[in-house]
Amino acid sequence: MSKKIDYIFIACVIVFVISLLVFIIQFIGKDSENEATITSGLLSFFGGAVGAIGAYGVAKHQINEEKKSNKINQFNAEYPVYIGLELEFKKIVEFLDREKTKNLIINREESQWDFYDMNEDTWEKKWRLSDPFLLKKIIEFQTILTKIQESYEVDIAQLNSDNRDSWNDKGIRKNFKIWKTEREKRQKIVSEIPIYYQQAENILKLLEQQIEKIQNIINGKNSPFDDNIYIKENEKV
């Protein structure tokens, strides 16, 4: 809408300038009997130009204010989502910090492991975020969390059970392949937990940065149209 008004204004200016030139050509160097009429026409054109510029300025200002208001409302709606995700990633960082300091050994995988208390409602609201880079990072990390959770919920000890039902007639453990696969998955996850911990810390810092930016926008300290609102892919944490 703003661009449309700009185009209309430019067209009006062009028409005005052309018409003004025509009047001036007719007026200068000629002893016209319609001198008063031409003079009156010129003054009317000047008056119309001033009115048009004024109307354009008012319309432009109204549109800019409406866009600003809509943008601020958008950030107001996103703000509680950012707060929720910040709390969620604080829990994740604590959880992964505990896991990496346990000195976990694959031979201790005698049962299921406890996963952190995930708030699924908070994760579902991530789609309200308008920052594409941060949203991408959060989605990617959610995939990692799902992988960890699925592995932690597997009772590896049960798959490796010596119960009679776990063996077939040929003396081969029925769940051997599953047990081996799940054990390898758990082992890989354990080895990568320090990496996941660092990734979670980085995302938490990005969330904290973004929360501060949005607070400044809501409080009127920064413009909602600032180019630095959204996180750049090469931005340092």
Side-chain angles (χ1 to χ4, degrees), residues 161-215:
S161 172
D162 287 332
N163 293 336
R164 196 176 293 176
D165 294 339
S166 299
W167 298 74
N168 61 22
D169 296 337
K170 296 180 180 180
I172 300 174
R173 203 161 48 220
K174 294 177 182 178
N175 293 327
F176 177 77
K177 287 185 178 179
I178 300 175
W179 168 79
K180 187 174 182 294
T181 300
E182 293 300 333
R183 188 173 183 273
E184 288 173 352
K185 284 182 183 178
R186 183 79 63 85
Q187 188 176 27
K188 189 172 188 300
I189 286 172
V190 169
S191 67
E192 292 178 345
I193 278 179
I195 299 172
Y196 300 151
Y197 171 79
Q198 190 60 54
Q199 290 176 347
E201 264 204 329
N202 289 342
I203 293 175
L204 176 58
K205 289 177 182 177
L206 291 174
L207 284 166
E208 290 170 344
Q209 287 178 9
Q210 206 65 357
I211 287 170
E212 184 179 357
K213 290 179 185 178
I214 291 175
Q215 283 176 335

Side-chain angles (χ1 to χ4, degrees), residues 131-143:
D131 188 318
F133 176 74
L134 187 52
L135 178 59
K136 178 174 177 286
K137 287 290 182 185
I138 290 170
I139 293 171
E140 289 173 349
F141 196 82
Q142 188 176 12
T143 302

Side-chain angles (χ1 to χ4, degrees), residues 6 26 33 37 54 67 81 84 86 98 113 126 137 140 143 147 155 168-170 175 194 212 225 229 234 236:
D6 288 342
Q26 289 181 343
E33 297 177 356
T37 303
K67 287 169 66 176
V81 181
E86 179 192 30
R98 289 196 304 270
W113 288 355
K126 68 181 179 295
K137 287 290 182 185
E140 289 173 349
T143 302
K147 181 175 66 175
D155 193 336
N168 61 22
D169 296 337
K170 296 180 180 180
N175 293 327
E212 184 179 357
F225 304 111
I229 290 174
N234 58 351
K236 293 183 179 179

Side-chain angles (χ1 to χ4, degrees), residues 90-107:
K90 283 181 178 179
K91 291 193 295 183
I92 293 168
V93 168
E94 290 176 2
F95 161 68
L96 293 175
D97 188 44
R98 289 196 304 270
E99 295 302 290
K100 74 182 179 69
T101 55
K102 278 181 183 177
N103 193 22
L104 300 173
I105 303 172
I106 195 66
N107 294 333

Side-chain angles (χ1 to χ4, degrees), residues 7-232:
Y7 294 146
I8 293 173
F9 176 73
I10 292 170
C12 290
V13 170
I14 292 172
V15 171
F16 169 75
V17 171
I18 293 173
S19 301
L20 181 61
L21 289 174
V22 171
F23 274 115
I24 290 174
I25 291 170
Q26 289 181 343
F27 185 74
I28 294 175
K30 293 184 179 182
D31 187 15
S32 175
E33 297 177 356
N34 299 316
E35 207 172 286
T37 303
I38 294 174
T39 303
S40 175
L42 284 172
L43 292 175
S44 296
F45 266 110
F46 279 118
V50 172
I53 292 171
Y56 168 78
V58 171
K60 187 77 173 177
H61 176 74
Q62 288 177 341
I63 289 172
N64 287 339
E65 286 299 308
E66 185 178 352
K67 287 169 66 176
K68 181 180 178 181
S69 177
N70 290 340
K71 200 70 176 174
I72 291 174
N73 289 339
Q74 174 190 322
F75 286 124
N76 268 316
E78 290 182 25
Y79 185 72
V81 181
Y82 276 110
I83 295 297
L85 286 168
E86 179 192 30
L87 295 175
E88 196 73 4
F89 270 89
K90 283 181 178 179
K91 291 193 295 183
I92 293 168
V93 168
E94 290 176 2
F95 161 68
L96 293 175
D97 188 44
R98 289 196 304 270
E99 295 302 290
K100 74 182 179 69
T101 55
K102 278 181 183 177
N103 193 22
L104 300 173
I105 303 172
I106 195 66
N107 294 333
R108 292 180 58 238
E109 293 175 334
E110 62 277 352
S111 62
Q112 297 171 311
W113 288 355
D114 292 330
F115 191 63
Y116 93 100
D117 185 20
M118 176 184 281
N119 188 325
E120 294 183 2
D121 184 56
T122 297
W123 284 95
E124 187 60 32
K125 290 177 180 176
K126 68 181 179 295
W127 300 109
R128 299 181 186 178
L129 301 184
S130 58
D131 188 318
F133 176 74
L134 187 52
L135 178 59
K136 178 174 177 286
K137 287 290 182 185
I138 290 170
I139 293 171
E140 289 173 349
F141 196 82
Q142 188 176 12
T143 302
I144 292 171
L145 286 176
T146 301
K147 181 175 66 175
I148 297 173
Q149 184 179 22
E150 288 174 349
S151 175
Y152 274 34
E153 289 176 348
V154 174
D155 193 336
I156 296 177
Q158 184 62 37
L159 294 173
N160 195 29
S161 172
D162 287 332
N163 293 336
R164 196 176 293 176
D165 294 339
S166 299
W167 298 74
N168 61 22
D169 296 337
K170 296 180 180 180
I172 300 174
R173 203 161 48 220
K174 294 177 182 178
N175 293 327
F176 177 77
K177 287 185 178 179
I178 300 175
W179 168 79
K180 187 174 182 294
T181 300
E182 293 300 333
R183 188 173 183 273
E184 288 173 352
K185 284 182 183 178
R186 183 79 63 85
Q187 188 176 27
K188 189 172 188 300
I189 286 172
V190 169
S191 67
E192 292 178 345
I193 278 179
I195 299 172
Y196 300 151
Y197 171 79
Q198 190 60 54
Q199 290 176 347
E201 264 204 329
N202 289 342
I203 293 175
L204 176 58
K205 289 177 182 177
L206 291 174
L207 284 166
E208 290 170 344
Q209 287 178 9
Q210 206 65 357
I211 287 170
E212 184 179 357
K213 290 179 185 178
I214 291 175
Q215 283 176 335
N216 288 335
I217 290 170
I218 293 173
N219 294 332
K221 293 181 180 179
N222 290 345
S223 167
F225 304 111
D226 191 336
D227 291 338
N228 294 320
I229 290 174
Y230 293 124
I231 297 169
K232 309 296 189 300

